[in-house]
Amino acid sequence: VVRAAGTEAWSAVRPPHALCEGDQVSVREPGRAAVVLQDDVLVRLDARTTLLITRAARDADAELGLAEGIVHLISRLRKRVGVSTPYVNALVDGTEFSVSALDGKGRSVVAEGAVRARNAQGETRLQAGEGAEAGPGAAPAAIVIRPLDAVRWAIHYPQIAWLDEGQLARLPADVA
């Protein structure tokens, strides 16, 4: 569901749906969603995730706010992407990483490239295969991670066809 900037109501959407700065995307159980930012930055959202599009200008760095849940980002271009959570912020230059805000903690895990995890208490630089976690009033600290486990939920096969109800009804049952 999406809540447009400046409104209180959430509304269901179907792809493709354009988002603007200030819009919020919320994924309910058991769903998952993907948001493609300008310059093909892919953001995958797990169930029970709420994401705010803070800044999405073409000529500026992308900034996202993660109120709760888990996101997985892939940015192959040298475009800077930042994800802010209540406990830790992740700043990246062209990489693949995940960020979570769950159970009173913020966590960043890097699959490829480099990320700076920081908050008001401190900062740490993460390389591929490393992670950091921070809670209220604590600086980001290194944690032992298994990178594949951090993004296992995000692995999927891209949709190759989008059929409406009428098109599905006309297909043989075993194909539909």
Short mmCIF file of all heavy atoms in Angstrom, two decimals, residues 57-110:
data_model
loop_
_atom_site.label_atom_id
_atom_site.label_comp_id
_atom_site.label_asym_id
_atom_site.label_seq_id
_atom_site.Cartn_x
_atom_site.Cartn_y
_atom_site.Cartn_z
N ALA A 57 15.40 13.11 -6.17
CA ALA A 57 15.70 14.00 -7.29
C ALA A 57 16.77 13.40 -8.19
O ALA A 57 17.70 12.76 -7.72
CB ALA A 57 16.18 15.35 -6.77
N ARG A 58 16.61 13.58 -9.48
CA ARG A 58 17.55 13.00 -10.45
C ARG A 58 18.97 13.53 -10.27
O ARG A 58 19.94 12.81 -10.45
CB ARG A 58 17.07 13.30 -11.88
CG ARG A 58 17.94 12.64 -12.94
CD ARG A 58 17.37 12.75 -14.33
NE ARG A 58 16.11 12.08 -14.50
CZ ARG A 58 15.98 10.76 -14.67
NH1 ARG A 58 17.02 9.99 -14.66
NH2 ARG A 58 14.80 10.21 -14.84
N ASP A 59 19.11 14.78 -9.85
CA ASP A 59 20.44 15.38 -9.73
C ASP A 59 21.00 15.31 -8.32
O ASP A 59 22.01 15.94 -8.02
CB ASP A 59 20.40 16.83 -10.21
CG ASP A 59 19.39 17.65 -9.42
OD1 ASP A 59 18.55 17.07 -8.70
OD2 ASP A 59 19.45 18.89 -9.52
N ALA A 60 20.37 14.53 -7.43
CA ALA A 60 20.84 14.46 -6.04
C ALA A 60 20.91 13.00 -5.59
O ALA A 60 20.39 12.11 -6.25
CB ALA A 60 19.89 15.23 -5.13
N ASP A 61 21.58 12.79 -4.47
CA ASP A 61 21.63 11.45 -3.89
C ASP A 61 20.24 11.03 -3.46
O ASP A 61 19.43 11.85 -3.04
CB ASP A 61 22.54 11.45 -2.66
CG ASP A 61 23.96 11.84 -2.99
OD1 ASP A 61 24.36 11.70 -4.17
OD2 ASP A 61 24.68 12.26 -2.08
N ALA A 62 19.95 9.74 -3.56
CA ALA A 62 18.67 9.20 -3.10
C ALA A 62 18.74 9.02 -1.59
O ALA A 62 19.76 8.58 -1.06
CB ALA A 62 18.38 7.88 -3.78
N GLU A 63 17.66 9.37 -0.91
CA GLU A 63 17.57 9.18 0.54
C GLU A 63 16.26 8.50 0.86
O GLU A 63 15.21 8.92 0.38
CB GLU A 63 17.67 10.51 1.28
CG GLU A 63 19.03 11.15 1.19
CD GLU A 63 19.11 12.46 1.96
OE1 GLU A 63 18.19 12.74 2.76
OE2 GLU A 63 20.07 13.19 1.75
N LEU A 64 16.34 7.46 1.67
CA LEU A 64 15.16 6.68 2.07
C LEU A 64 15.10 6.63 3.58
O LEU A 64 16.13 6.56 4.25
CB LEU A 64 15.26 5.26 1.51
CG LEU A 64 15.48 5.15 0.00
CD1 LEU A 64 15.78 3.71 -0.39
CD2 LEU A 64 14.27 5.67 -0.74
N GLY A 65 13.89 6.62 4.13
CA GLY A 65 13.69 6.46 5.56
C GLY A 65 13.04 5.12 5.83
O GLY A 65 12.00 4.81 5.25
N LEU A 66 13.65 4.32 6.67
CA LEU A 66 13.12 3.00 7.01
C LEU A 66 12.59 3.05 8.43
O LEU A 66 13.36 3.03 9.39
CB LEU A 66 14.22 1.94 6.87
CG LEU A 66 13.85 0.51 7.21
CD1 LEU A 66 12.74 0.00 6.29
CD2 LEU A 66 15.08 -0.39 7.13
N ALA A 67 11.26 3.14 8.57
CA ALA A 67 10.65 3.21 9.89
C ALA A 67 10.76 1.86 10.60
O ALA A 67 11.10 1.80 11.77
CB ALA A 67 9.19 3.62 9.77
N GLU A 68 10.46 0.81 9.88
CA GLU A 68 10.62 -0.54 10.41
C GLU A 68 10.65 -1.52 9.25
O GLU A 68 10.19 -1.23 8.16
CB GLU A 68 9.50 -0.90 11.38
CG GLU A 68 8.17 -1.14 10.71
CD GLU A 68 7.11 -1.64 11.67
OE1 GLU A 68 7.44 -2.35 12.62
OE2 GLU A 68 5.94 -1.32 11.44
N GLY A 69 11.23 -2.69 9.49
CA GLY A 69 11.29 -3.73 8.48
C GLY A 69 12.69 -3.92 7.93
O GLY A 69 13.68 -3.54 8.56
N ILE A 70 12.75 -4.51 6.73
CA ILE A 70 14.03 -4.84 6.10
C ILE A 70 13.98 -4.43 4.63
O ILE A 70 13.00 -4.72 3.94
CB ILE A 70 14.32 -6.35 6.17
CG1 ILE A 70 14.27 -6.85 7.61
CG2 ILE A 70 15.67 -6.67 5.54
CD1 ILE A 70 14.36 -8.37 7.73
N VAL A 71 15.04 -3.77 4.17
CA VAL A 71 15.18 -3.47 2.75
C VAL A 71 16.51 -4.01 2.25
O VAL A 71 17.48 -4.11 3.01
CB VAL A 71 15.08 -1.95 2.44
CG1 VAL A 71 13.70 -1.43 2.77
CG2 VAL A 71 16.15 -1.16 3.14
N HIS A 72 16.54 -4.37 0.99
CA HIS A 72 17.75 -4.84 0.32
C HIS A 72 17.94 -3.94 -0.89
O HIS A 72 17.01 -3.77 -1.68
CB HIS A 72 17.57 -6.30 -0.10
CG HIS A 72 18.71 -6.85 -0.88
ND1 HIS A 72 18.60 -7.19 -2.20
CD2 HIS A 72 19.99 -7.11 -0.53
CE1 HIS A 72 19.76 -7.65 -2.63
NE2 HIS A 72 20.62 -7.60 -1.65
N LEU A 73 19.11 -3.32 -1.02
CA LEU A 73 19.36 -2.38 -2.10
C LEU A 73 20.46 -2.87 -3.01
O LEU A 73 21.46 -3.42 -2.54
CB LEU A 73 19.79 -1.02 -1.54
CG LEU A 73 18.70 -0.24 -0.83
CD1 LEU A 73 18.71 -0.55 0.63
CD2 LEU A 73 18.89 1.23 -1.09
N ILE A 74 20.28 -2.63 -4.31
CA ILE A 74 21.32 -2.91 -5.29
C ILE A 74 21.50 -1.65 -6.11
O ILE A 74 20.57 -1.18 -6.75
CB ILE A 74 20.95 -4.09 -6.21
CG1 ILE A 74 20.77 -5.37 -5.39
CG2 ILE A 74 22.02 -4.29 -7.28
CD1 ILE A 74 20.28 -6.56 -6.19
N SER A 75 22.70 -1.10 -6.07
CA SER A 75 23.03 0.10 -6.82
C SER A 75 24.37 -0.14 -7.50
O SER A 75 25.41 -0.04 -6.87
CB SER A 75 23.12 1.31 -5.88
OG SER A 75 23.59 2.43 -6.60
N ARG A 76 24.35 -0.46 -8.76
CA ARG A 76 25.59 -0.76 -9.49
C ARG A 76 26.27 0.49 -10.01
O ARG A 76 27.42 0.48 -10.36
CB ARG A 76 25.30 -1.71 -10.65
CG ARG A 76 24.73 -3.02 -10.21
CD ARG A 76 25.75 -3.81 -9.44
NE ARG A 76 25.20 -5.10 -9.09
CZ ARG A 76 25.35 -5.68 -7.93
NH1 ARG A 76 26.03 -5.10 -6.98
NH2 ARG A 76 24.82 -6.85 -7.68
N LEU A 77 25.53 1.60 -10.09
CA LEU A 77 26.12 2.84 -10.57
C LEU A 77 26.76 3.56 -9.40
O LEU A 77 26.52 3.26 -8.25
CB LEU A 77 25.02 3.72 -11.20
CG LEU A 77 24.30 3.08 -12.38
CD1 LEU A 77 23.18 3.99 -12.85
CD2 LEU A 77 25.27 2.81 -13.51
N ARG A 78 27.55 4.55 -9.69
CA ARG A 78 28.21 5.33 -8.64
C ARG A 78 27.25 6.39 -8.10
O ARG A 78 27.61 7.53 -7.91
CB ARG A 78 29.49 5.97 -9.17
CG ARG A 78 30.52 4.99 -9.62
CD ARG A 78 30.94 4.01 -8.55
NE ARG A 78 31.71 4.69 -7.53
CZ ARG A 78 32.08 4.12 -6.40
NH1 ARG A 78 31.74 2.90 -6.13
NH2 ARG A 78 32.79 4.79 -5.53
N LYS A 79 26.02 6.00 -7.86
CA LYS A 79 25.04 6.91 -7.27
C LYS A 79 24.99 6.64 -5.78
O LYS A 79 24.93 5.51 -5.33
CB LYS A 79 23.67 6.68 -7.88
CG LYS A 79 22.61 7.59 -7.29
CD LYS A 79 21.35 7.50 -8.08
CE LYS A 79 20.26 8.34 -7.45
NZ LYS A 79 20.26 9.69 -7.89
N ARG A 80 24.99 7.68 -5.02
CA ARG A 80 24.97 7.53 -3.57
C ARG A 80 23.53 7.33 -3.09
O ARG A 80 22.63 8.04 -3.51
CB ARG A 80 25.57 8.76 -2.92
CG ARG A 80 25.71 8.61 -1.46
CD ARG A 80 26.55 9.71 -0.93
NE ARG A 80 26.63 9.53 0.50
CZ ARG A 80 27.53 10.07 1.24
NH1 ARG A 80 28.44 10.82 0.71
NH2 ARG A 80 27.54 9.87 2.53
N VAL A 81 23.34 6.37 -2.22
CA VAL A 81 22.04 6.06 -1.65
C VAL A 81 22.20 6.02 -0.14
O VAL A 81 23.13 5.40 0.37
CB VAL A 81 21.50 4.71 -2.16
CG1 VAL A 81 20.15 4.40 -1.54
CG2 VAL A 81 21.40 4.69 -3.67
N GLY A 82 21.28 6.64 0.57
CA GLY A 82 21.30 6.61 2.02
C GLY A 82 20.00 6.06 2.56
O GLY A 82 18.93 6.36 2.02
N VAL A 83 20.08 5.23 3.60
CA VAL A 83 18.90 4.70 4.26
C VAL A 83 19.02 5.05 5.73
O VAL A 83 20.00 4.69 6.39
CB VAL A 83 18.77 3.17 4.10
CG1 VAL A 83 17.53 2.66 4.82
CG2 VAL A 83 18.73 2.77 2.64
N SER A 84 18.01 5.75 6.25
CA SER A 84 18.01 6.16 7.66
C SER A 84 17.00 5.33 8.43
O SER A 84 15.87 5.16 8.00
CB SER A 84 17.63 7.64 7.79
OG SER A 84 18.58 8.44 7.13
N THR A 85 17.43 4.82 9.59
CA THR A 85 16.54 4.11 10.51
C THR A 85 16.56 4.89 11.83
O THR A 85 17.38 5.79 12.00
CB THR A 85 16.99 2.66 10.77
OG1 THR A 85 18.09 2.65 11.66
CG2 THR A 85 17.36 1.94 9.48
N PRO A 86 15.71 4.54 12.76
CA PRO A 86 15.76 5.24 14.06
C PRO A 86 17.09 5.06 14.80
O PRO A 86 17.41 5.85 15.68
CB PRO A 86 14.62 4.60 14.84
CG PRO A 86 13.67 4.10 13.80
CD PRO A 86 14.55 3.67 12.66
N TYR A 87 17.89 4.04 14.46
CA TYR A 87 19.09 3.73 15.25
C TYR A 87 20.41 3.82 14.49
O TYR A 87 21.44 4.03 15.09
CB TYR A 87 18.96 2.33 15.85
CG TYR A 87 17.68 2.19 16.61
CD1 TYR A 87 16.62 1.49 16.09
CD2 TYR A 87 17.51 2.82 17.84
CE1 TYR A 87 15.42 1.39 16.79
CE2 TYR A 87 16.33 2.74 18.53
CZ TYR A 87 15.27 2.02 18.00
OH TYR A 87 14.10 1.95 18.68
N VAL A 88 20.38 3.61 13.18
CA VAL A 88 21.62 3.66 12.41
C VAL A 88 21.29 4.08 10.97
O VAL A 88 20.22 3.74 10.46
CB VAL A 88 22.38 2.31 12.44
CG1 VAL A 88 21.62 1.23 11.70
CG2 VAL A 88 23.79 2.43 11.91
N ASN A 89 22.18 4.82 10.36
CA ASN A 89 22.02 5.24 8.98
C ASN A 89 23.08 4.55 8.14
O ASN A 89 24.22 4.39 8.58
CB ASN A 89 22.18 6.75 8.85
CG ASN A 89 21.19 7.49 9.72
OD1 ASN A 89 20.07 7.03 9.93
ND2 ASN A 89 21.60 8.62 10.24
N ALA A 90 22.71 4.12 6.94
CA ALA A 90 23.64 3.46 6.03
C ALA A 90 23.82 4.34 4.80
O ALA A 90 22.84 4.71 4.16
CB ALA A 90 23.11 2.09 5.63
N LEU A 91 25.06 4.68 4.50
CA LEU A 91 25.38 5.52 3.35
C LEU A 91 26.27 4.72 2.41
O LEU A 91 27.28 4.16 2.83
CB LEU A 91 26.11 6.78 3.81
CG LEU A 91 25.37 7.59 4.87
CD1 LEU A 91 26.28 8.65 5.46
CD2 LEU A 91 24.13 8.20 4.30
N VAL A 92 25.91 4.69 1.14
CA VAL A 92 26.57 3.78 0.23
C VAL A 92 26.93 4.47 -1.08
O VAL A 92 26.25 5.39 -1.50
CB VAL A 92 25.66 2.56 -0.03
CG1 VAL A 92 24.37 2.99 -0.68
CG2 VAL A 92 26.34 1.54 -0.88
N ASP A 93 27.98 3.99 -1.70
CA ASP A 93 28.36 4.42 -3.05
C ASP A 93 28.45 3.16 -3.92
O ASP A 93 29.45 2.46 -3.87
CB ASP A 93 29.73 5.13 -3.03
CG ASP A 93 29.65 6.49 -2.39
OD1 ASP A 93 28.76 7.27 -2.79
OD2 ASP A 93 30.45 6.76 -1.50
N GLY A 94 27.41 2.87 -4.69
CA GLY A 94 27.42 1.76 -5.64
C GLY A 94 27.72 0.42 -5.04
O GLY A 94 28.87 0.04 -4.97
N THR A 95 26.72 -0.31 -4.58
CA THR A 95 26.95 -1.57 -3.89
C THR A 95 25.67 -2.37 -3.74
O THR A 95 24.62 -2.00 -4.25
CB THR A 95 27.59 -1.31 -2.51
OG1 THR A 95 28.12 -2.51 -2.01
CG2 THR A 95 26.60 -0.74 -1.54
N GLU A 96 25.74 -3.45 -2.98
CA GLU A 96 24.58 -4.26 -2.62
C GLU A 96 24.62 -4.48 -1.12
O GLU A 96 25.61 -4.95 -0.57
CB GLU A 96 24.63 -5.61 -3.35
CG GLU A 96 23.46 -6.50 -3.03
CD GLU A 96 23.49 -7.81 -3.81
OE1 GLU A 96 24.29 -7.94 -4.76
OE2 GLU A 96 22.70 -8.69 -3.46
N PHE A 97 23.53 -4.10 -0.45
CA PHE A 97 23.50 -4.23 1.00
C PHE A 97 22.06 -4.30 1.49
O PHE A 97 21.13 -4.03 0.74
CB PHE A 97 24.23 -3.07 1.67
CG PHE A 97 23.55 -1.72 1.54
CD1 PHE A 97 22.99 -1.11 2.65
CD2 PHE A 97 23.51 -1.06 0.33
CE1 PHE A 97 22.38 0.13 2.54
CE2 PHE A 97 22.91 0.17 0.21
CZ PHE A 97 22.34 0.78 1.33
N SER A 98 21.90 -4.68 2.76
CA SER A 98 20.57 -4.69 3.37
C SER A 98 20.62 -3.86 4.64
O SER A 98 21.66 -3.73 5.28
CB SER A 98 20.11 -6.11 3.66
OG SER A 98 20.96 -6.72 4.60
N VAL A 99 19.48 -3.30 4.98
CA VAL A 99 19.33 -2.51 6.20
C VAL A 99 18.05 -2.95 6.87
O VAL A 99 17.04 -3.17 6.19
CB VAL A 99 19.25 -0.99 5.88
CG1 VAL A 99 19.07 -0.18 7.15
CG2 VAL A 99 20.47 -0.53 5.12
N SER A 100 18.09 -3.10 8.19
CA SER A 100 16.88 -3.46 8.91
C SER A 100 16.69 -2.55 10.11
O SER A 100 17.65 -2.01 10.66
CB SER A 100 16.92 -4.92 9.37
OG SER A 100 17.95 -5.13 10.31
N ALA A 101 15.44 -2.37 10.48
CA ALA A 101 15.06 -1.65 11.69
C ALA A 101 14.03 -2.54 12.38
O ALA A 101 12.84 -2.49 12.06
CB ALA A 101 14.47 -0.29 11.36
N LEU A 102 14.50 -3.40 13.27
CA LEU A 102 13.64 -4.37 13.93
C LEU A 102 14.01 -4.50 15.40
O LEU A 102 15.20 -4.43 15.75
CB LEU A 102 13.79 -5.75 13.27
CG LEU A 102 13.41 -5.87 11.80
CD1 LEU A 102 13.87 -7.21 11.24
CD2 LEU A 102 11.91 -5.72 11.63
N ASP A 103 13.03 -4.74 16.23
CA ASP A 103 13.25 -5.05 17.64
C ASP A 103 14.15 -4.05 18.34
O ASP A 103 15.02 -4.43 19.12
CB ASP A 103 13.82 -6.47 17.78
CG ASP A 103 12.94 -7.52 17.14
OD1 ASP A 103 11.70 -7.38 17.23
OD2 ASP A 103 13.47 -8.48 16.55
N GLY A 104 13.98 -2.76 18.05
CA GLY A 104 14.75 -1.72 18.74
C GLY A 104 16.20 -1.62 18.33
O GLY A 104 17.01 -1.06 19.06
N LYS A 105 16.55 -2.17 17.15
CA LYS A 105 17.92 -2.11 16.66
C LYS A 105 17.92 -1.80 15.18
O LYS A 105 16.99 -2.14 14.46
CB LYS A 105 18.64 -3.45 16.86
CG LYS A 105 18.82 -3.84 18.30
CD LYS A 105 19.49 -5.19 18.38
CE LYS A 105 19.53 -5.67 19.81
NZ LYS A 105 19.89 -7.06 19.92
N GLY A 106 19.00 -1.18 14.73
CA GLY A 106 19.22 -0.97 13.30
C GLY A 106 20.43 -1.79 12.89
O GLY A 106 21.41 -1.88 13.64
N ARG A 107 20.37 -2.42 11.72
CA ARG A 107 21.45 -3.30 11.28
C ARG A 107 21.72 -3.05 9.80
O ARG A 107 20.80 -2.89 9.02
CB ARG A 107 21.05 -4.75 11.49
CG ARG A 107 22.06 -5.75 10.98
CD ARG A 107 21.58 -7.16 11.19
NE ARG A 107 21.74 -7.50 12.60
CZ ARG A 107 21.60 -8.72 13.08
NH1 ARG A 107 21.28 -9.71 12.29
NH2 ARG A 107 21.77 -8.95 14.36
N SER A 108 23.01 -3.04 9.44
CA SER A 108 23.43 -2.96 8.04
C SER A 108 24.33 -4.14 7.75
O SER A 108 25.24 -4.43 8.53
CB SER A 108 24.22 -1.67 7.78
OG SER A 108 23.43 -0.54 7.99
N VAL A 109 24.09 -4.82 6.62
CA VAL A 109 24.90 -5.95 6.19
C VAL A 109 25.28 -5.72 4.73
O VAL A 109 24.41 -5.44 3.90
CB VAL A 109 24.13 -7.29 6.34
CG1 VAL A 109 24.95 -8.44 5.79
CG2 VAL A 109 23.76 -7.53 7.80
N VAL A 110 26.57 -5.84 4.41
CA VAL A 110 27.07 -5.55 3.07
C VAL A 110 27.36 -6.85 2.32
O VAL A 110 28.14 -7.68 2.79
CB VAL A 110 28.34 -4.68 3.13
CG1 VAL A 110 28.84 -4.34 1.74
CG2 VAL A 110 28.08 -3.41 3.93
#
